[in-house]
């Protein structure tokens, strides 16, 4: 099996964006570990102190429904980069498709194990299923087809986002006679949750399709691999997208902070608006990172640390659960029981910093993340022919059969 793509050949913007996005993922996932509390709009505790309210405001405005669409766009972007690099090397499409399908299948298996053993808020299972659909249906689709599917799936995206505006009467410490107070009870509850995810797989794929389409379009335009060629576009997306994102987040954030009290249907609309404008926020963040990379290529300790995390995003994502679940879950130390978002968010930040230390140590040792190495081994096996890693940079080329060029 050949080695990963050399660091010098990788594009900086996607790796840097992944490294920053993982902090958002940790903060967005932290409240999932809350238990024993009544939750209101946005999944925030109804009873909260000043510190909790401040944290809820920051996360609601800048993280929720913003971090995961960005991560999803980068995931689809990575698949497209892998396919593009294989095409430039002359690999036939059936061979490339087989590699990508195996990679996505194994990613789904990673997610299944992760969701069952540690965290039922896992995204890898859904990403694996999304990747299978993208490779089979949309990776080589025409621009018109991509835009049509992306636009049509916004209805599903809005419907799922509307659920963020609904209130939850109580915690989730028990389900079907299973108790989250023990690991085995929690395992049973997570198994039920995973079963629900599998049943809803087609809808979840459509839910994630809008940001995935944006990631595919970003690869075709080369805005992340060659940001210097797209500075006016990047500036517009960053500035306008950020303004739209913050404005669209305000109604749901106001409801989650108990500043306003609306009927249920209005909360649902606020949730839908929060999600839809989150797409703008995610693209604004990506554009901002690419803009900074093009104008002043970041260097130094901080940039190096973030890039190290981004290059090992799978390992760092799984490490978050390995640390946070035992600390916060009822079957572990139970720090998430009866506490607020300030506490669990502090744990999330500390956990993220730990992943930074691990990633930097691996970077200095010249080693990939163990999860990335395992996924690569499972995908390619003893075969030496392989396509690029997710973050690889390749110069956009002319259009392939069925593929719109940049």
């Amino acid at each position: 099996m050949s080695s990963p793509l050399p660091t010098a050949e990788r594009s900086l913007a996607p790796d840097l964006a992944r490294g920053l996005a993982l902090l958002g993922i940790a903060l967005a996932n932290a409240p999932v570990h809350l238990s024993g509390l009544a939750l209101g709009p946005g999944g925030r505790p109804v009873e909260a102190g000043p510190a909790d309210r401040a944290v809820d405001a920051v996360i609601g405005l800048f993280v929720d429904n913003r971090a995961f669409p960005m991560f999803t766009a980068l995931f689809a972007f990575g698949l497209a980069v892998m396919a593009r690099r294989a095409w430039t090397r002359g690999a036939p499409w059936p061979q490339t498709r087989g590699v990508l399908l195996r990679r996505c299948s194994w990613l789904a298996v990673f997610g299944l194990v992760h969701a069952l053993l540690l965290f039922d808020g896992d995204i890898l299972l859904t990403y694996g299923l999304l990747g299978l659909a993208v490779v089979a249906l949309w990776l080589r689709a025409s621009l018109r087809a991509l835009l049509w599917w992306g636009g049509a799936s916004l209805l599903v995206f809005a419907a799922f986002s509307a659920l963020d505006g609904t209130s939850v009467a109580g915690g989730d410490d028990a389900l079907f006679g299973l108790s989250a107070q023990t690991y085995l009870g929690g395992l049973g509850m997570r198994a039920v949750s995973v079963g629900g995810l599998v049943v809803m797989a087609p809808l979840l794929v459509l839910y994630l399709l809008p940001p995935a389409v944006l990631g595919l379009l970003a690869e075709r335009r080369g805005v992340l691999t060659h940001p210097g060629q797209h500075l006016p576009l990047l500036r517009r997306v960053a500035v306008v997208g950020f303004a739209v994102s913050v404005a669209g987040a305000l109604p749901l954030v106001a409801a989650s902070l108990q500043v306003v009290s609306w009927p249920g249907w209005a909360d649902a609309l606020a949730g839908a608006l929060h999600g839809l404008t989150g797409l703008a926020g995610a693209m604004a963040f990506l554009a901002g990172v690419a803009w900074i990379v093009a104008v002043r290529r970041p260097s130094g300790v901080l940039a190096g640390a973030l890039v190290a995390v981004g290059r090992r995003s799978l390992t760092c994502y799984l490490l978050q659960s390995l640390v946070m679940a035992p600390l916060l879950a009822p079957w572990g130390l139970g720090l998430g029981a009866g506490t607020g978002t300030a506490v669990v968010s502090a744990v999330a930040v500390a956990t993220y910093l730990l992943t930074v230390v691990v990633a930097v140590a691996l970077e200095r040792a010249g080693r990939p993340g163990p999860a990335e190495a395992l996924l690569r081994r499972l995908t390619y096996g003893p075969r030496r022919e392989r396509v690029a890693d997710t973050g690889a940079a390749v110069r956009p080329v002319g259009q392939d059969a069925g593929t719109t060029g940049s």
Side-chain angles (χ1 to χ4, degrees):
M1 184 177 64
S2 57
S3 60
L5 195 72
T7 297
E9 298 181 31
R10 295 178 67 100
S11 178
L12 178 61
D15 286 332
L16 190 60
R18 286 190 192 93
L20 288 168
L22 277 169
L23 174 58
I25 295 295
L27 289 170
N29 285 340
V32 178
H33 294 286
L34 292 172
S35 58
L37 299 171
L39 305 179
R44 301 299 166 179
V46 175
E47 301 293 334
D52 298 321
R53 295 300 191 205
V55 170
D56 289 341
V58 172
I59 294 179
L61 287 172
F62 305 111
V63 177
D64 283 346
N65 284 326
R66 276 102 185 117
F68 95 83
M70 179 173 59
F71 220 59
T72 305
L74 286 168
F75 171 71
F77 168 86
L79 291 177
V81 167
M82 293 172 69
R84 179 74 65 122
R85 185 167 185 261
W87 184 79
T88 61
R89 294 174 58 204
W93 170 242
Q95 174 188 314
T96 302
R97 179 180 57 198
V99 169
L100 294 176
L101 291 176
R102 284 197 303 275
R103 184 182 181 93
C104 292
S105 297
W106 279 114
L107 185 65
V109 172
F110 277 39
L112 179 64
V113 175
H114 175 228
L116 286 175
L117 297 184
L118 286 173
F119 182 50
D120 57 3
D122 164 80
I123 59 173
L124 300 181
L125 172 58
T126 309
Y127 276 10
L129 298 175
L130 171 68
L132 293 174
V134 166
V135 172
L137 300 175
W138 297 300
L139 191 57
R140 285 159 44 102
S142 67
L143 176 62
R144 181 178 180 180
L146 278 181
L147 293 176
W148 189 93
W149 276 102
S153 59
L154 281 175
L155 296 174
V156 179
F157 189 88
F160 272 83
S161 299
L163 298 177
D164 286 339
T166 60
S167 301
V168 181
D172 55 354
D173 296 337
L175 179 67
F176 299 142
L178 301 169
S179 173
Q181 300 300 318
T182 65
Y183 180 78
L184 289 179
L187 178 64
M189 294 175 64
R190 291 190 294 275
V192 173
S193 178
V194 170
L197 288 178
V198 173
V199 171
M200 295 180 62
L203 285 177
L204 290 173
V205 167
L206 290 177
Y207 169 52
L208 293 177
L209 188 57
V213 166
L214 292 173
L216 295 176
L217 294 177
E219 190 280 330
R220 292 189 183 186
R221 291 290 302 272
V223 295
L224 296 180
T225 49
H226 303 281
Q229 301 174 11
H230 305 275
L231 285 178
L233 173 64
L234 294 173
R235 283 194 295 266
R236 288 195 299 270
V237 173
V239 174
V240 176
F242 180 78
V244 170
S245 176
V246 173
L250 287 174
L252 183 61
V253 171
S256 68
L257 297 179
Q258 313 296 314
V259 174
V260 296
S261 180
W262 293 323
W265 62 267
D267 283 340
L269 287 179
L273 180 63
H274 192 274
L276 290 172
T277 55
L279 292 172
M283 294 305 102
F285 186 92
L286 283 177
V289 171
W291 183 11
I292 293 173
V293 167
V295 174
R296 178 180 294 180
R297 187 176 179 87
S299 60
V301 175
L302 178 59
L306 292 174
V307 169
V309 173
R311 290 173 181 162
R312 297 159 182 83
S313 57
L314 178 58
T315 293
C316 292
Y317 172 73
L318 293 173
L319 184 57
Q320 288 181 8
S321 292
L322 284 172
V323 174
M324 291 171 63
L327 289 176
L328 299 175
W331 52 263
L333 294 182
L335 298 181
T339 188
T341 48
V343 171
V344 295
S345 296
V347 172
V349 172
T351 300
Y352 174 77
L353 293 176
L354 173 62
T355 67
V356 171
V357 172
V358 172
V360 169
L362 290 170
E363 181 78 11
R364 291 180 176 176
R367 300 182 60 182
E372 283 79 10
L374 178 58
L375 179 60
R376 188 178 300 117
R377 178 67 180 177
L378 292 171
T379 299
Y380 303 108
R383 295 172 52 181
R384 298 190 62 84
E385 58 269 27
R386 57 189 302 271
V387 292
D389 286 325
T390 298
V394 291
R395 184 174 300 279
V397 295
Q399 62 185 50
D400 191 4
T403 303
T404 300
S406 57

